[in-house]
Amino acid sequence: MSSLKVCIVIPAYNEERVIRDTIQGIQKALNKSNYRYEIVVVNDGSSDNTSTEARRAGATVIDHILNSGAGGATATGLLYAKKNAFDILVTMDADGQHVPTDAIAGIDTLANSNVDLLIGSRLIDSTGMSKIKVIGNLGLSGITYLLFGTKVMDSQSGLRIFSKRAIDGLRWRTSGFEFCSEMLWRAKQQHIVVAEYPIKAVYSEYSMQKGQNNWNGINIVKSLIRRRIVETFE
Amino acid sequence: MRYPLLLLLNSPIIAIALLNAVTKYKLGQLDKTKFTKQLISWLGLLAVLLVALPIYNYSHNDSLFQSDKLSILDIVQTTAIVYLVFIVNTLRLKVEKSEQRLRDLHQELSIRLSDK
């Protein structure tokens, strides 16, 4: 058994239909690995039974009192991992689009390298992803590069692996999906080593309905530009 | 007389803004980069006010910038703009700090309540 303590954080908002399967899939994969782990679902003020379903599946559940957005929920998971002295943190989407074995491969890679933040890139091999999503994600990564100078192919990926240094040091201000790009900026500011590795994304009908669309991308861009301008004068 | 008056009215606002920035930096509430940016912004504004008359004289020769000399109303307006920039900047920093504290409180409360 590895001495590394791994925290799997799943931010969830109204995911009662899939959260149980997602958690059980992760448990099944991680039980075959050597890692000690805890699955933490941050229920971001859901109005359905996400919290109950996650508890039934055996996860630790943190219930947000107020809906804070994906960035806020992930930040709570990060704080939990810091307070409980975890060595590695993995963030995964609640809709089951991430393959648990990809997460384990990422943990292995991070544990044996000097990387502090490892991004699971869906765009290195974008098979299965619709063209419009590929263009949207590449566009957001391009804008992230222009605004913050961070070279990452899939800046919006939800599968991310953090080292202890990143758990203790990374913080961001935005609370919506734009936190994905802001996190890369903060990592650059703190000289945190960022790398990418290829992952598969499994898109079900459910995850296609729940996922971000390109119109939401416009809101992300607006928020990122605003953040960049504001901090120029700080 | 009008240009010194412009400087006289605006320099206390800039002095307070600079003092605030230095105090926050010394107390550790502002990091070095943010402090430098604040310093450059306010000192830049002061520099522009100091050379307002030479700028006017220089640009007066260009037809595009040709205008009447500074009136009392212009002085009041410019002072009001500088004062508003000062107020907006102070309020923005306060709002960001409050937002951060609220976010931290929410996260802490959610984790603590979940432990029970």
Side-chain angles (χ1 to χ4, degrees):
Chain A
M1 179 73 67
S2 167
S3 59
L4 292 175
K5 260 174 80 182
V6 180
C7 183
I8 315 283
V9 169
I10 308 173
Y13 178 68
N14 289 344
E15 303 278 8
E16 66 176 359
R17 274 175 59 193
V18 291
I19 193 73
R20 207 172 192 176
D21 289 343
T22 304
I23 294 167
Q24 285 170 348
I26 298 166
Q27 284 167 335
K28 205 173 161 186
L30 276 165
N31 286 340
K32 288 179 194 163
S33 76
N34 288 322
Y35 296 107
R36 288 184 293 151
Y37 72 92
E38 182 178 351
I39 299 175
V40 179
V41 172
V42 183
N43 170 36
D44 193 21
S46 301
S47 54
D48 65 3
N49 291 318
T50 301
S51 181
T52 316
E53 288 296 317
R55 273 197 185 87
R56 274 187 194 150
T60 302
V61 179
I62 298 171
D63 287 307
H64 263 184
I65 303 155
L66 306 168
N67 176 260
S68 308
T74 308
T76 301
L78 200 76
L79 182 67
Y80 180 86
K82 187 183 175 185
K83 277 174 172 286
N84 292 283
F86 279 94
D87 302 299
I88 291 177
L89 178 138
V90 181
T91 59
M92 293 176 81
D93 287 0
D95 60 10
Q97 71 163 270
H98 297 131
V99 183
T101 48
D102 278 342
I104 296 170
I107 298 167
D108 292 339
T109 308
L110 187 113
N112 297 304
S113 67
N114 65 342
V115 173
D116 292 309
L117 177 61
L118 191 61
I119 316 275
S121 173
R122 301 160 295 176
L123 300 173
I124 294 173
D125 174 12
S126 59
T127 315
M129 194 187 251
S130 68
K131 277 207 172 71
I132 195 88
K133 263 192 185 293
V134 172
I135 292 166
N137 279 305
L138 281 174
L140 278 172
S141 298
I143 288 163
T144 303
Y145 172 68
L146 287 175
L147 289 172
F148 309 123
T150 53
K151 281 183 191 167
V152 168
M153 202 174 185
D154 190 1
S155 63
Q156 305 304 304
S157 173
L159 178 55
R160 291 174 180 221
I161 298 133
F162 300 68
S163 70
K164 183 136 190 75
R165 183 173 169 231
I167 294 171
D168 292 342
L170 262 183
R171 293 292 175 270
W172 48 89
R173 294 190 190 179
T174 48
S175 54
F177 283 107
E178 60 274 20
F179 87 99
C180 293
S181 294
E182 196 201 334
M183 187 198 291
L184 299 171
W185 185 27
R186 302 297 173 208
K188 190 186 170 199
Q189 287 173 332
Q190 294 179 41
H191 308 291
I192 282 174
V193 184
V194 181
E196 281 184 287
Y197 77 110
I199 60 162
K200 281 183 205 129
V202 182
Y203 291 104
S204 60
E205 202 178 312
Y206 177 81
S207 67
M208 293 292 275
Q209 281 172 358
K210 285 282 291 193
Q212 295 179 62
N213 59 39
N214 285 353
W215 290 108
N216 200 18
I218 291 171
N219 277 336
I220 292 174
V221 172
K222 271 162 51 187
S223 176
L224 289 174
I225 292 172
R226 202 162 44 231
R227 169 75 20 217
R228 190 69 189 84
I229 292 170
V230 160
E231 289 202 25
T232 303
F233 298 104
E234 257 184 18
Chain B
M1 180 62 199
R2 287 173 185 180
Y3 285 89
L5 184 64
L6 178 73
L7 196 64
L8 199 72
L9 286 172
N10 284 280
S11 47
I13 302 168
I14 295 169
I16 292 168
L18 284 169
L19 187 69
N20 282 351
V22 173
T23 311
K24 281 193 173 126
Y25 175 63
K26 289 286 177 193
L27 292 173
Q29 293 165 357
L30 265 186
D31 63 37
K32 204 172 179 179
T33 319
K34 287 175 184 171
F35 171 64
T36 312
K37 282 179 186 172
Q38 290 266 332
L39 219 61
I40 291 170
S41 307
W42 289 110
L43 287 175
L45 192 58
L46 185 66
V48 170
L49 291 174
L50 275 169
V51 295
L53 184 58
I55 288 174
Y56 171 77
N57 287 334
Y58 175 76
S59 58
H60 192 67
N61 298 325
D62 190 325
S63 59
L64 195 66
F65 292 101
Q66 222 165 44
S67 68
D68 291 333
K69 280 197 170 178
L70 202 63
S71 71
I72 289 294
L73 188 67
D74 293 333
I75 294 171
V76 172
Q77 276 182 340
T78 310
T79 308
I81 290 166
V82 172
Y83 185 60
L84 281 175
V85 168
F86 171 73
I87 296 279
V88 166
N89 189 44
T90 311
L91 285 177
R92 186 178 58 79
L93 290 174
K94 278 188 179 169
V95 167
E96 290 235 331
K97 200 176 170 186
S98 304
E99 258 185 12
Q100 186 60 51
R101 286 167 69 89
L102 184 65
R103 231 177 353 244
D104 291 348
L105 176 70
H106 182 222
Q107 287 177 356
E108 191 68 44
L109 265 178
S110 300
I111 291 174
R112 284 195 190 188
L113 288 172
S114 300
D115 283 344
K116 286 176 184 172

